[in-house]
Amino acid sequence: MLPIISGDQVKHLDQQYISAEGISSLDLMERAANAFVAWFTVAINPDIKQVYIFAGSGNNGGDGVAIARLLQERHYIVHLIYIQEVADCSANFKANYSRLPGKVLVTKFVEWNGIIAEHSVIIDGVFGVGINRPIEGVFQRLIQILNKATALKIAIDIPSGLPADQIAFGTVFRADHTLSFQFPKLSLLFPEHASFIGELHIMDIGISEETMDAFQVGRFYLRAKDIPSLHRSFHRFSHKGDYGKVLIIGGAKGKTGAINLSAHAALRTGSGLVHLAPHLEDPYLIHPIVSELMLFQDDPKQNLNNFDAIAIGPGWGMDVEIAYYQSILARFQKPIVIDADGLNLLSANPDLIHKIPQNSVLTPHLKEFERLVGKSKDHLERMEKARNFAIANGLILVLKGAHTLVTLPDGKQIFNSSGNQYMATAGSGDVLTGMIASFLGQGYSPEHAALCGVYHHGLAGELASKSKWRGMIASDIIEAIPRTFLELGIK
């Protein structure tokens, strides 16, 4: 997994890598510029030829100057607007400035006419990760002008004005795309900053994960390449028992669709046998969404140890007897998955939390998490509360959102990279519950079950939405689950 390095350590990381590789900082800047331009020439409409690059005096500005040269070499009409005197800029800025071809249209900001042609691209290279106070003066005025412009906007590494590790505290460039080098800066993953970041892209510039590990602070970014090694292998002699027997408990009257979605998702994720235990007076009145699902009538006397994994909560309702909830936790001592009303009942009865089997997986969305641990002023505080909760209770917390955050009992936190906005639909969380339960039932460790469930869930959403966009529903995500295994090469 990709370590997320704090902003004040980025310079030290670069220096260590440069020393170990025997290259110059200018060489590393050239790699970054080439990675940016490689993405740009593929992702941006080829009919757009006018590019306006705004360069600050530091190395972020130096990236912008290098990008100006490379784009001009590819026959774009490039306008480079720099803010401070070149003599006052960083050494790498000056080195790249001296390399500029004459066809780049260079203007000092105080002399710029403020015109941005229609159908253009704005590239923000004003400030990088080092900013630690609100921008002001000429810089603030520039960012305000750019934010009002109608052109497509791209930020180099991080939108100007956004601190690397904190919540935004002033004027910030509003990008349509942010291209972050080597790893995502922490603040790029905060929901409060969505309007500044646009679509996030991580550009590999060759720094090894081994080099980055020396600077890691226990936060990581989960990518497609990390997933195959987390999976168990099965062979041709495997039978349905090897793929796990899963029970989904929930589904009160009028809400049985929730456990149906969870159970169907568990089947599609590979479970051999999946049972529903609806919270109904006569559970056999429920209509399973697919024929392969079976029904189970649970009560406090039932033996649950025949199941390999249990998930509780989807559509359960709040009228569940707490003694029954306690009996589930007492009758099944292996890690379980708790979602939805299973979480809300914990919030109303916090003594239950201490009875949950260690390494169980809790999957709250932001509101459910708030009910569980109290309100947070921002995502940074929310992350800290998630870490404290997971450590104190020996549980895995899956905080659902645009970059779902998995917090482990040792305090390690992993942000997910898969998924998109079209997954914000009823039942999407129920699907994730079933997927994590499925992996638990297949014999995965709770950590691997959570990570595989989260990544496959997001990837299934991406695949399903390609043909449906905002018309996608939760059952579309379920039908796309098998394709995630094909995409990742997992048999």
Side-chain angles (χ1 to χ4, degrees):
M1 288 178 285
L2 199 58
I4 298 173
I5 314 300
S6 62
D8 59 3
Q9 290 296 305
V10 171
K11 185 176 181 180
H12 301 296
L13 168 66
D14 289 349
Q15 289 172 341
Q16 180 166 313
Y17 180 71
I18 286 165
S19 176
E21 292 293 305
I23 62 174
S24 69
S25 59
L26 193 61
D27 292 329
L28 188 61
M29 184 174 285
E30 189 72 5
R31 286 189 194 178
N34 274 293
F36 183 102
V37 171
W39 174 88
F40 186 98
T41 53
V42 171
I44 302 305
N45 186 334
D47 293 334
I48 296 177
K49 289 298 182 183
Q50 295 245 38
V51 180
Y52 293 78
I53 301 176
F54 295 84
S57 60
N59 283 341
N60 195 250
D63 291 330
V65 178
I67 290 166
R69 167 172 45 85
L70 295 173
L71 287 178
Q72 195 284 318
E73 290 172 356
R74 288 157 177 79
H75 309 295
Y76 287 89
I77 300 169
V78 180
H79 304 259
L80 176 66
I81 297 93
Y82 65 97
I83 294 94
Q84 292 179 268
E85 296 292 344
V86 174
D88 297 330
C89 294
S90 71
N92 285 341
F93 181 108
K94 288 186 278 193
N96 274 308
Y97 191 86
S98 69
R99 296 178 176 182
L100 283 174
K103 290 185 178 180
V104 173
L105 305 172
V106 181
T107 309
K108 191 174 180 181
F109 176 60
V110 295
E111 299 169 355
W112 177 50
N113 61 16
I115 296 174
I116 296 174
E118 290 186 359
H119 310 298
S120 300
V121 174
I122 291 171
I123 297 177
D124 162 34
V126 180
F127 288 112
V129 297
I131 195 165
N132 56 15
R133 63 183 186 277
I135 60 175
E136 54 190 20
V138 64
F139 300 104
Q140 183 181 37
R141 190 164 73 253
L142 169 59
I143 299 304
Q144 289 171 343
I145 291 170
L146 298 183
N147 283 343
K148 291 178 182 177
T150 57
L152 181 72
K153 303 181 186 78
I154 305 173
I156 301 172
D157 204 27
I158 192 168
S160 289
L162 189 66
D165 307 297
Q166 301 295 324
I167 300 298
F169 39 52
T171 301
V172 178
F173 180 77
R174 294 182 180 273
D176 298 299
H177 297 273
T178 296
L179 276 62
S180 190
F181 297 129
Q182 201 57 61
F183 64 93
K185 284 56 188 179
L186 182 63
S187 66
L188 298 177
L189 305 174
F190 295 170
E192 293 95 333
H193 297 160
S195 63
F196 304 133
I197 296 155
E199 291 188 40
L200 176 62
H201 313 271
I202 309 303
M203 301 288 105
D204 187 350
I205 58 173
I207 301 177
S208 69
E209 291 182 28
E210 290 73 23
T211 300
M212 296 174 65
D213 278 336
F215 297 89
Q216 64 94 357
V217 291
R219 293 173 179 144
F220 299 85
Y221 192 60
L222 185 67
R223 303 153 300 165
K225 65 185 293 185
D226 302 315
I227 299 302
S229 65
L230 305 181
H231 276 283
R232 292 192 63 206
S233 297
F234 295 92
H235 51 74
R236 67 184 299 169
F237 292 101
S238 300
H239 54 81
K240 61 186 178 183
D242 294 329
Y243 289 95
K245 188 176 181 182
V246 174
L247 175 66
I248 312 291
I249 300 175
K253 185 177 180 180
K255 297 181 179 180
T256 55
I259 56 169
N260 260 309
L261 287 169
S262 293
H264 190 194
L267 283 173
R268 284 296 186 197
T269 306
S271 293
L273 296 161
V274 181
H275 289 74
L276 302 174
H279 184 52
L280 300 173
E281 188 172 333
D282 184 354
Y284 295 104
L285 292 178
I286 189 175
H287 297 289
I289 197 168
V290 291
S291 301
E292 292 85 353
L293 294 174
M294 294 171 282
L295 296 174
F296 179 81
Q297 187 168 17
D298 189 35
D299 62 58
K301 297 179 182 180
Q302 287 276 15
N303 179 11
L304 297 179
N305 288 320
N306 291 329
F307 293 100
D308 298 299
I310 291 177
I312 60 176
W316 210 10
M318 292 295 289
D319 63 343
V320 176
E321 292 184 7
I322 299 307
Y324 172 58
Y325 198 151
Q326 289 176 325
S327 80
I328 297 172
L329 302 180
R331 288 179 289 141
F332 191 79
Q333 288 301 301
K334 289 178 280 189
I336 61 177
V337 184
I338 305 178
D339 185 30
D341 288 328
L343 297 170
N344 294 328
L345 286 163
L346 291 180
S347 302
N349 302 272
D351 288 346
L352 285 176
I353 295 172
H354 307 297
K355 301 179 185 296
I356 301 171
Q358 294 286 285
N359 291 306
S360 289
V361 183
L362 278 58
T363 62
H365 55 55
L366 296 185
K367 283 295 183 183
E368 290 164 345
F369 180 71
E370 185 178 282
R371 297 182 195 116
L372 200 59
V373 304
K375 292 186 177 182
S376 302
K377 63 181 179 181
D378 54 42
H379 205 58
L380 203 57
E381 182 179 348
R382 196 177 289 123
M383 288 171 57
E384 189 60 27
K385 286 186 174 182
R387 174 178 281 162
N388 293 340
F389 182 90
I391 293 172
N393 297 293
L395 301 172
I396 296 174
L397 195 69
V398 176
L399 183 57
K400 295 180 288 196
H403 293 284
T404 290
L405 177 65
V406 179
T407 303
L408 303 179
D410 63 2
K412 184 163 69 173
Q413 295 186 300
I414 303 107
F415 289 89
N416 184 39
S417 64
S418 66
N420 58 30
Q421 68 271 32
Y422 304 117
M423 299 180 70
T425 185
S428 179
D430 302 318
V431 173
L432 176 61
T433 297
M435 295 178 73
I436 296 174
S438 176
F439 285 125
L440 272 179
Q442 292 176 54
Y444 288 59
S445 70
E447 175 182 342
H448 290 179
L451 294 176
C452 288
V454 163
Y455 191 86
H456 279 266
H457 179 249
L459 181 56
E462 291 178 20
L463 295 171
S465 68
K466 284 182 178 180
S467 61
K468 296 180 173 66
W469 289 8
R470 66 179 66 184
M472 183 179 74
I473 59 175
S475 56
D476 296 324
I477 300 174
I478 294 173
E479 294 306 324
I481 293 171
R483 288 166 55 199
T484 67
F485 293 94
L486 300 177
E487 288 276 328
L488 297 171
I490 297 161
K491 295 184 178 180

